[in-house]
């Protein structure tokens, strides 16, 4: 009887410890996700409509805006500095978007602004971003009632030839798919066993 009570006490302690560790791990992941949101600037383009021609036009404007991104964006030390570079270059980016529309013989207008936007979690295949509030360069074409296209301009995840990296290993792991749940007690036990 005594051993049965002791086993139950130990089982309850182990379950409580596992619960606490799970909550702490979830809080750590949530903190890292907030860091990713804070350290990312997204590009968000909304097409005029869902017609094939408007969707193709959206991609032409995307290419023009990406080509017009200033080189200083890649050298920005953080997302705040990247946003400042974009803000200073909004007229240039606006011109590039309008030029792409004119070249396609479209009467639509492009409206660009830098703002905070809520995004759902998104898996791009080679990387994934958590849901949250991000700074975004928003490009609205015409009525902006069509499907959107979005990517990341800082760090440069959708700019050809760029090598994107976040400030911390945990952020890189979360975004690029190598996020590991690590427990200090488990790591210490593993280290002790392998001596």
């Amino acid at each position: 009887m005594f051993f049965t009570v002791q086993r139950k006490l130990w089982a309850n302690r182990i379950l409580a410890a596992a619960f606490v560790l799970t909550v702490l791990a979830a809080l750590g992941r949530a903190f890292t996700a907030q860091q990713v949101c804070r350290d990312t600037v997204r590009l968000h383009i909304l097409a005029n409509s869902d017609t094939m021609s408007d969707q193709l036009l959206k991609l032409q404007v995307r290419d023009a805006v990406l080509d017009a991104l200033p080189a200083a964006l890649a050298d920005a030390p953080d997302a705040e500095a990247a946003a400042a570079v974009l803000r200073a270059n909004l007229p240039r980016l606006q011109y590039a978007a309008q030029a792409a529309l004119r070249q396609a013989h479209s009467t639509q207008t492009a409206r660009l602004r830098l703002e905070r936007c809520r995004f759902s979690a998104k898996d791009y295949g080679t990387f994934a971003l958590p849901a949250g509030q991000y700074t975004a360069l928003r490009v609205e074409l015409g009525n902006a009632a069509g499907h959107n296209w979005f990517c990341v301009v800082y760090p440069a995840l959708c700019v050809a030839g760029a090598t994107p990296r976040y400030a911390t290993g945990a952020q890189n792991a979360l975004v690029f798919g190598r996020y590991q749940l690590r427990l200090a007690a488990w790591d210490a036990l593993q280290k002790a066993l392998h001596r």
Side-chain angles (χ1 to χ4, degrees), residues 7-135:
R7 276 191 208 153
K8 286 183 180 178
L9 281 173
W10 275 106
N12 286 339
R13 288 178 184 152
I14 290 171
L15 285 174
F19 175 76
V20 167
L21 291 173
T22 300
V23 168
L24 290 174
L27 289 173
R29 186 181 190 290
F31 176 74
T32 300
Q34 285 180 337
Q35 285 180 310
V36 167
C37 292
R38 183 194 66 224
D39 294 345
T40 302
V41 179
R42 295 176 81 155
L43 173 61
H44 186 209
I45 303 176
L46 290 113
N48 178 58
S49 73
D50 286 335
T51 65
M52 181 63 77
S53 60
D54 280 345
Q55 290 298 309
L56 291 172
L57 188 58
K58 170 186 70 179
L59 298 178
Q60 291 171 335
V61 170
R62 171 204 63 191
D63 293 345
V65 169
L66 289 174
D67 287 345
L69 289 175
L73 186 62
D75 298 330
D78 55 36
E80 191 174 313
V85 168
L86 289 171
R87 197 172 293 107
N89 284 275
L90 277 175
R92 173 183 169 181
L93 298 169
Q94 173 80 39
Y95 179 83
Q98 280 303 140
L101 291 170
R102 278 193 311 277
Q103 185 176 7
H105 306 289
S106 173
T107 59
Q108 295 178 31
T109 58
R111 293 172 306 286
L112 280 74
R113 64 182 177 275
L114 203 58
E115 64 182 12
R116 297 285 294 168
C117 297
R118 174 123 184 102
F119 287 90
S120 300
K122 176 72 175 162
D123 186 340
Y124 292 92
T126 57
F127 66 96
L129 294 174
Q133 287 282 114
Y134 290 84
T135 299

Side-chain angles (χ1 to χ4, degrees), residues 17-32 169-171 173-174 177-188 190:
F19 175 76
V20 167
L21 291 173
T22 300
V23 168
L24 290 174
L27 289 173
R29 186 181 190 290
F31 176 74
T32 300
Q171 288 174 290
L174 180 65
R178 293 177 300 279
Y179 193 80
Q180 296 177 353
L181 176 60
R182 302 203 42 152
L183 303 175
W186 178 254
D187 287 346
Q190 292 286 50

